[in-house]
Amino acid sequence: MVLTDGTAIDAFSISCRKPASNVSTHEIKTTSLIGKNRMSIVHKIRMAIKRIAFGNTLLPQEFTLGLEEPQTEITVWLHGAGAPRDVTRRHSMVCASPLTICVGFDAGQRPNEKDLVRPSLQFCERAGQKRVLGEIGLKPQTSVTEAESEFILFEARSSRNYCLSRARLCTHYLLHAYRQWRRDNTKGIKMSFLERRAGMVIFICPHPIMLVSVGSSANGNIFPMNILGDLGNGYMGFALRGERLAGGLVERAGRIALSSLPVSQGALAYQLANNHTKKSIDWSHLPFATKMSSAFSIPVPEFAPRVVELEIKSVRGIGSHRFFIARIIREDRFFDGLEFCSIHGFYQSWRLGKLEREDEELQISLAGDAFNKRGRNRPLAVKTPQIKMLPLDDKQNR
């Protein structure tokens, strides 16, 4: 017997008890049905209240999907540093606490302190009405100089989110605060309310979820990462948790290979997450074939649509994370297609709100996100012989 909810469990436990001498089986069944009806009514009331308060906006905060690379939905503009600058591919999150963002500039183009008048990042839709969907006020903290480029690290000063109405945002923020009070889901990172809100805005801009390969086939590791971004002039920035082994491995190696994931392989990102805490892995136990990267001969997945090889130029321990600035040595694109990435659930709600068949598309996208995350609670499978697949034009495979 399959027990699908608490009501079924309660009913089952009652009907399994031995009837007392003064209670008939009919009375027990009647009591069970009354209990089920009450639970059903309570559930319907809860769902009605939830629908009124949140509408179709109660989505996972980390929402996964497949998008083309580079993404063409959002532009990010730096304001308050002279004329507005398009920094869509010139910014990266640095750490969560304190929430810090790095912005890259060409050598000699970095604005000085006098030019920075209440700077902010605006996250805007690229097409259509080019509406502002979110804004983060910035305060400069420090600068870093590399050949041909300069970088400013900013902390969050303020945050505004326009993906949802003000009323919807308030209900979400209240629910978020309640869940944080009940159970901290930031895995030990202490973030202020401002930092949490600013983090939601950062992920309005789609972030690729990539696999980091480090070391050699004899002694190396592979794990997922999504706090990363282009910084311009052939540089990338990325961040790893400060207390985990993965950051130390990357710093000591000085070079890595980043592999994008086709959306069909998104579950692997969650299955490989535990490797952040491992010194090394046995590559032969991975459930996929690997090949050597072109420049550094680091093992990378054979299925990767795109591989970017990086040489680390600087490392800074900032709050909860280690922040790396790296030079792109080589980038190989093997085939096109949708790549696995993440956005914030608020932005996904806004995306769906533009569609005519919003309810239907919501269910489809939720099913896709759940499918992508199916590897979250699964142990990593050991490699098995590959099954021969029929060609796509074969009638038996349609």
Side-chain angles (χ1 to χ4, degrees), residues 37-329:
N37 289 335
R38 284 177 179 172
M39 291 296 289
S40 178
I41 292 170
V42 170
H43 176 72
K44 289 179 180 178
I45 292 173
R46 286 179 177 175
M47 293 302 294
I49 293 173
K50 187 180 292 186
R51 182 78 177 185
I52 293 170
F54 298 101
N56 282 341
T57 67
L58 202 57
L59 278 64
Q61 288 196 64
E62 179 196 35
F63 201 93
T64 58
L65 72 170
L67 291 176
E68 293 182 357
E69 169 59 34
Q71 63 84 20
T72 57
E73 295 191 359
I74 296 296
T75 55
V76 183
W77 291 87
L78 175 65
H79 289 258
R85 308 177 189 224
D86 184 347
V87 295
T88 307
R89 299 186 69 83
R90 283 181 173 267
H91 78 282
S92 174
M93 186 171 168
V94 172
C95 73
S97 178
L99 194 135
T100 309
I101 300 169
C102 178
V103 179
F105 304 88
D106 294 340
Q109 298 299 311
R110 175 173 62 86
N112 58 43
E113 200 168 314
K114 293 181 180 179
D115 295 328
L116 295 171
V117 182
R118 296 183 66 80
S120 66
L121 289 181
Q122 289 188 0
F123 296 74
C124 309
E125 62 172 333
R126 184 182 294 271
Q129 299 179 29
K130 296 179 169 50
R131 285 168 288 196
V132 179
L133 301 179
E135 183 174 6
I136 301 175
L138 305 173
K139 51 183 178 182
Q141 295 300 309
T142 188
S143 61
V144 181
T145 301
E146 292 289 342
E148 303 176 8
S149 288
E150 298 178 84
F151 311 95
I152 299 180
L153 273 59
F154 298 92
E155 288 186 12
R157 171 176 52 82
S158 62
S159 178
R160 293 182 179 179
N161 199 313
Y162 306 111
C163 290
L164 304 179
S165 68
R166 184 172 297 180
R168 288 273 191 260
L169 277 175
C170 286
T171 55
H172 275 283
Y173 289 155
L174 286 172
L175 178 62
H176 184 72
Y178 172 72
R179 286 176 172 173
Q180 288 299 127
W181 174 73
R182 287 281 306 271
R183 179 176 60 86
D184 182 12
N185 63 0
T186 55
K187 298 180 181 179
I189 298 177
K190 301 299 182 183
M191 299 176 67
S192 68
F193 184 47
L194 167 60
E195 289 167 341
R196 295 179 195 278
R197 290 186 290 118
M200 296 172 186
V201 172
I202 288 174
F203 275 83
I204 289 174
C205 185
H207 281 57
I209 299 176
M210 305 186 78
L211 297 181
V212 182
S213 295
V214 57
S216 64
S217 56
N219 184 23
N221 202 347
I222 184 169
F223 49 85
M225 176 174 66
N226 73 337
I227 301 182
L228 73 161
D230 288 303
L231 294 175
N233 287 333
Y235 285 95
M236 286 189 71
F238 62 92
L240 294 166
R241 287 282 293 268
E243 79 281 7
R244 292 181 178 168
L245 294 176
L249 292 174
V250 171
E251 185 172 357
R252 289 190 294 274
R255 51 181 60 179
I256 62 171
L258 295 180
S259 302
S260 63
L261 285 159
V263 68
S264 60
Q265 300 286 353
L268 284 171
Y270 294 93
Q271 288 184 286
L272 293 168
N274 287 336
N275 288 353
H276 277 266
T277 61
K278 297 178 181 179
K279 291 183 178 180
S280 63
I281 62 163
D282 185 341
W283 295 90
S284 66
H285 285 178
L286 294 173
F288 53 84
T290 60
K291 62 183 178 182
M292 294 301 177
S293 65
S294 301
F296 297 146
S297 296
I298 300 173
V300 296
E302 276 194 349
F303 58 68
R306 186 167 52 96
V307 174
V308 184
E309 296 178 84
L310 303 174
E311 185 176 56
I312 309 303
K313 290 300 183 181
S314 69
V315 185
R316 289 172 175 262
I318 301 175
S320 58
H321 287 70
R322 297 186 200 191
F323 180 61
F324 299 80
I325 294 177
R327 183 78 174 176
I328 299 174
I329 301 301

